[in-house]
Amino acid sequence: MRGSFIDPEATVGYRRARRTAGAVASAALLLPLLGAAPSSSPAQASAAELQRAFAVAAAEYHVPLSVLLGVSYLQSRWDAHAGAPSVSGGYGPMHLTDARTAIAEAPHHSEGTEDARGDSSRPPLLPTTQVPQNSQLPDRLKTLPKAARLTGLPEERLRTDAAANVAGGAALLAAAQKDLGEPLSDDAADWYGAVGRFSGADDTATAATYANDVYEVIRQGEERTTDAGQQVALAARPGLSPDTALLRRAGLRTVSATNTECPTSVSCEWIPAPYSEFGDGDYGNHDLGDRPASQSIKYIVIHDTEGSWDGVLKLVQDPTYVSWNYTLRSTDGHIAQHVKAKDVAWHAGNWYINAKSIGLEHEGFLASPDAWYTEEMYRASARLVNYLAYKYRVPLDRQHILGHDNVPGPTTSTIPGMHTDPGPYWDWQHYFTLLGHPFRPATKTRTSGGLVTVLPDFAENQPRYTGCVTSGEPCAAHGSSEVRLYSRPDETSPLIKDIGLRPKGDDSTIDVNDVGSRVSTGQRYAVADRDGDWTAIWYLGQKAWFKNPQSRPTAVNASGQVVTPKPGLTEIPVYGRAYPEAAAYPAGVPVQAVSPLPYKILAGQRYVAGDKVPGEYFYAPTFDTTPHRVVIGKDMYYEIQFGHRVAFVRTADVNETRSHP
C-alpha cells in the first residue's frame, strides 16, 4: 500500500482482531476432549483428536491446558507437517527438535551463482566458503531425545505421531517447571519461567520474549483447522497476568541489546560483520555509508540462510565472505544484527538494491518444502520489518518488501545466476497478516478490475515442483505462495518463456529454483485478458495465463498506478537498476552503464508501478571512504512489477495512470 505507514509499537506488527472473549468458554471447550458427544459424527470425532490429545497430555503431566496449547501454537500453529522437520529440525505440533536426524538429511542447494555485491565497478565477489556445521549441537536442537527419556516413548513415534509429540512437549514443560523448583500448578500464571525455558533460548531476553508471546496468544485466544484437518481451539483469557519473576531462576545468560537497531518487542543482540582489510588491498564484508542522510532506504529483502544458525553466524563474521543486516533464528525468533542500517551490506546481488535496502536472513532452506518455518520466527521477523519500515518509511507491499527471488539481475549476464530464496514455501500471506497489512480484494467481484493481487490459499495451493532433492525428481506436495503461468488458458500449454534466464528461447520448467514462469502472493499485475476460469496478466512483455476460478480464486481485484509506453513508441527498454545518466557523474567517479535488460515492453502493455525515483549510484570502491560518493541524476525511473522480479523503466518512456477495480 503506497505511502501507508503504521506505528510498530502500537500494533506490535501483527495484532489481530481480538477473539470474542468467552466465545469458547472453558467448560464447553473441555467437552470434546473427553470424547465425542453421542450426536457427533465420526468425522467430527476424528477432527477433534488433536484437541483431545492436548487435554490428555495436560492432565497426565499436570500442565495447564492453555499453556500447552499456547506454546504449541507459537511453535507450529498446531500443525503436524506430516511428521516432517522444521528448518531447525523440530517435529510435530510441539516442535520437538532432533537436529542430528533432521538437518543431516536435509538437501542443501546453491540456488544461484550471483555476485552478492553486484557492483559492476568492482571485480565479482564470489566466495566459495560453505556454511560450517556444528559438531556439538546446542540443547535447543535436541529436545526430542529428552522428551523420549521423560515419556518412555520411542523417538520415531515422537517424530511422527502428533498425540505422542504433544505428550512429549507436556513432559518437557513439566520438567522445566520442576527444574525451577516450582509446583505443577493448575494456574497458567505460574508457568512463565517454564515456558521461557521451553523455548530453548540460552539468554533471558529471548526466553522472556518467547514467554510473552505465548501468554499473548493465551490472552487473545486462537482457533483454526490444522494442516491435518484437526480443529483446535484455545479459549481467550484476556486478563491473564503471568508471574514474570519466575524466569530469573532459570540461570540464563544476559544479552545486551547495545548497538542494535531493533524494536523492544524482539530479542536482539549485536554480532558485527567485520569491516576490515585483507589480502592485496581487498576488504570486506560491507561498505560504510550514511543512510538515510546520503540516500534513502527503499527496500527490505527477505532471504533464507541455506544453513543452520551457528554456521551462518560464523560466515557473516568472516571478512572474506558476504554480509547482511540481520539473521533470525528458527527455534525461538532470536535476532542477531550484523550491519548497521546506515551501512550497505552485500546481500542481494544487485548493487542498486543493496545500496537502497536492508537484508534479513532467516534460518531455512528453500528447496525443502517440509522444512517449515516456526511461528515465532515469522512473528519476530514481522515485528522487525514493521519497525524498520516505519523508521525508514518503506511501504509495506510486495514491491518494497522483496524476496531475494524478486531482486532483478542488474545486467543481462547476471540474470541466470540470481538467487531464488526464500522460494515458494515462504508464506507471504501469513507474513503480511502478521505485518498488519493483510492482502485483501479491492472489490467483492473477481471478474471486474484492471489489476489483480496474487492471493492463493497457501495450504490448498500445491503446484508441482521438481529438483528439491535430485534434479528432475518431484518435490513433496506442499502448500505454496506461488502460482504457475501458461502461454494459453490451458494447463497443457507451454509455460511462459524467460529470455533472460534462457537466451536461446528454451521453455521454463517447474524446477523449484526456476522463477521464469510464476507469480507470488501479494504481487500485483495488470490484467491483459480473461477467459472463463482463467486470467491473463502482462508479464515479461507477454500475455501470461493462470487458472483463477470463481469458486477457488488464486487472485483478487486490486487498484493502483500503472505505466504503459507513451503513444508512438512500439517498444521500450527495461532495466535491472536505476542508474543516473552520464552527465550526472562528477570527476573522479567512473560513469556506470545504463544497460537495458534483454526484455521489452510493447505498446499497449501495462505494468504496476511502485516508486518514482531519480537515477542513483553509490560509488564505494575502496576501504578508505574518502572517495565514496552518492551520485544522483536528473533522469527519473519507475520501479515496476515486471515478472517474478521487479524492474525499472525510464519515466521519459511511459505514461502513468491509475487503474481502479
Side-chain angles (χ1 to χ4, degrees), residues 36 59 64-65 94 96 148 154 214 222 272 282 310 321 353 360 445 473 587 635:
L65 178 60
M94 297 302 299
L96 305 182
V214 168
E222 289 290 349
D282 211 344
D310 300 279
Y321 201 65
I353 300 293
L360 278 61
T445 306
E473 291 298 313
D635 274 2

Side-chain angles (χ1 to χ4, degrees), residues 224-245:
R224 70 184 295 264
T225 300
T226 73
D227 60 353
Q230 294 290 300
Q231 297 167 6
V232 184
L234 167 60
R237 295 188 58 187
L240 180 61
S241 180
D243 184 356
T244 58

Side-chain angles (χ1 to χ4, degrees), residues 267-291:
S267 170
C268 194
E269 67 176 311
W270 177 243
I271 301 178
Y275 185 71
S276 58
E277 290 184 289
F278 61 86
D280 185 15
D282 211 344
Y283 72 96
N285 57 7
H286 59 281
D287 281 296
L288 301 184
D290 189 24
R291 305 185 307 178

